[in-house]
Amino acid sequence: MTGKHQGLGKGLGALMQEAEIESYSAPEKNQAASSHPQEAAPVSAVHFPEGISCDENGTLWVSPQLLKPNPRQPRTHFDEEKLAELTESVRKEGILSPVIIEDARDGTFFIIAGERRTRAAKAAGLEKIPVQLRTYSEQRKLEVALIENIQRTDLNPLEEAQAYYDLMELGNLNQDQVAERVGKNRSTVANCLRLLKLPEDMRKALVSDVISPGHARAILSLETDSDRRLLFAKITGQGLSVRQAEAAAKEMKSGSPSSEKAGGAAVHEKRDPNLAALEQKCISRLGTKVQIKGDLQKGTVAISYFTSDDLDRIFRLIVPDADL
């Protein structure tokens, strides 16, 4: 590819053309059709697996009940509301764009692209849906599913990041090559991949839209886990915007070093893990810096605030029934 990326680079159609077509795709006397896999071969010249039927227009049909999810499907979360809307559309109009499938060799077929449409077809009670029969490598299965999801309905940020990572692993590709395959800028792919460094609770917050990718990048710009935890608590506790989170991260990086940066990491390693966990819970609940000094028997709790509004907010969290 040369010049700037257009849309999604190669796109789904081009990836389909690069797929290996099996012997049932077209006979020797129809070589023109075999070089263009999106064109249907004559019905009389093609042998289809059991369960596949073909109409007079060359469209292939199969029961959605015979379709299995793509083993390389990057999407793990399906929005129920959007799926219900699609189901209603399918019930009225049917499946307008064929689902791309691959023969699983056991009387069923893998969905390569079109799992949402297949789910909607099942929910709408359709007996047959239009399909295109293809054969793909494991890497191509992921590429096609990834691009199809991006083109039709965005993956959540972590699903997209995991798909990029899987592409790198499957094809032994670097970030530049992955970006080229899916028609994205390298920086977009790199920023997305960084999200995989988030701990599990922050990942869940990202998927559930408690924080945005912009918030996540601000958190990941900090070097230590304690600083990241603190900023995450501020974002969720105080409702910081992305710009405010970026400003807070910048202030934390330029301000006084955290205990870990100052050589306190060794001290933290010797702390009672229950005390450290309690400190993190306080940070998450109050949305501000909290330090517990001492042990489980005796010590002090220091709660930081940065404005009068911040102090008022913390006080109301601690004493919710207070009449100020």
Side-chain angles (χ1 to χ4, degrees), residues 50-64:
E50 185 177 354
I52 297 285
S53 61
C54 187
D55 64 19
E56 64 276 9
N57 296 317
T59 302
L60 304 185
W61 297 84
V62 71
S63 167

Side-chain angles (χ1 to χ4, degrees), residues 28 70 105 116 147 149 178 200 215 219 242 260 288 308:
E28 185 175 349
N70 180 356
R105 309 295 185 181
R116 291 179 69 253
I147 292 177
N149 273 300
V178 168
E200 185 62 25
H215 287 121
I219 292 170
V242 171
E260 288 188 21
T288 192
S308 58

Side-chain angles (χ1 to χ4, degrees), residues 31-156:
Q31 289 298 324
S34 66
S35 65
H36 298 282
Q38 291 157 315
E39 299 177 7
V43 179
S44 60
V46 181
H47 172 67
F48 299 110
E50 185 177 354
I52 297 285
S53 61
C54 187
D55 64 19
E56 64 276 9
N57 296 317
T59 302
L60 304 185
W61 297 84
V62 71
S63 167
Q65 302 301 328
L66 295 179
L67 305 186
K68 295 180 178 180
N70 180 356
R72 290 293 179 183
Q73 166 66 267
R75 182 182 296 279
T76 58
H77 172 73
F78 292 82
D79 187 291
E80 292 299 327
E81 183 176 345
K82 291 182 179 178
L83 193 57
E85 293 174 357
L86 180 59
T87 299
E88 186 60 28
S89 174
V90 166
R91 185 176 287 113
K92 293 179 179 177
E93 306 293 339
I95 300 291
L96 302 181
S97 180
V99 172
I100 304 171
I101 63 173
E102 181 179 49
D103 191 356
R105 309 295 185 181
D106 62 356
T108 61
F109 305 88
F110 285 123
I111 303 165
I112 303 303
E115 186 169 345
R116 291 179 69 253
R117 280 168 283 157
T118 302
R119 290 185 179 219
K122 290 179 179 180
L126 270 60
E127 295 183 1
K128 297 279 187 177
I129 62 173
V131 295
Q132 291 183 0
L133 197 55
R134 300 285 182 264
T135 297
Y136 293 93
S137 67
E138 290 301 304
Q139 179 181 333
R140 195 67 82 199
K141 287 178 187 178
L142 179 56
E143 288 181 357
V144 172
L146 173 59
I147 292 177
E148 197 254 359
N149 273 300
I150 293 174
Q151 285 181 338
R152 297 183 185 278
T153 303
D154 289 343
L155 299 169
N156 72 51

Side-chain angles (χ1 to χ4, degrees), residues 218-219 221-232 234 240 244-258 261 289 306:
I219 292 170
S221 71
L222 297 170
E223 296 179 4
T224 68
D225 182 66
S226 59
D227 283 347
R228 290 176 177 179
R229 283 280 166 198
L230 175 56
L231 182 55
F232 176 64
K234 282 179 173 291
L240 299 184
Q244 289 172 325
E246 291 171 343
K250 184 177 181 180
E251 181 179 342
M252 291 170 71
K253 286 187 286 188
S254 62
S256 59
S258 68
K261 294 178 186 175
K289 186 176 182 179
F306 304 94

Side-chain angles (χ1 to χ4, degrees), residues 290-316:
V290 177
Q291 286 184 312
I292 300 178
K293 299 179 180 180
D295 54 35
L296 290 174
Q297 303 301 319
K298 183 178 180 181
T300 60
V301 178
I303 303 173
S304 300
Y305 62 92
F306 304 94
T307 65
S308 58
D309 288 340
D310 203 19
L311 175 61
D312 180 64
R313 179 188 62 80
I314 294 169
F315 179 76
R316 291 182 182 279

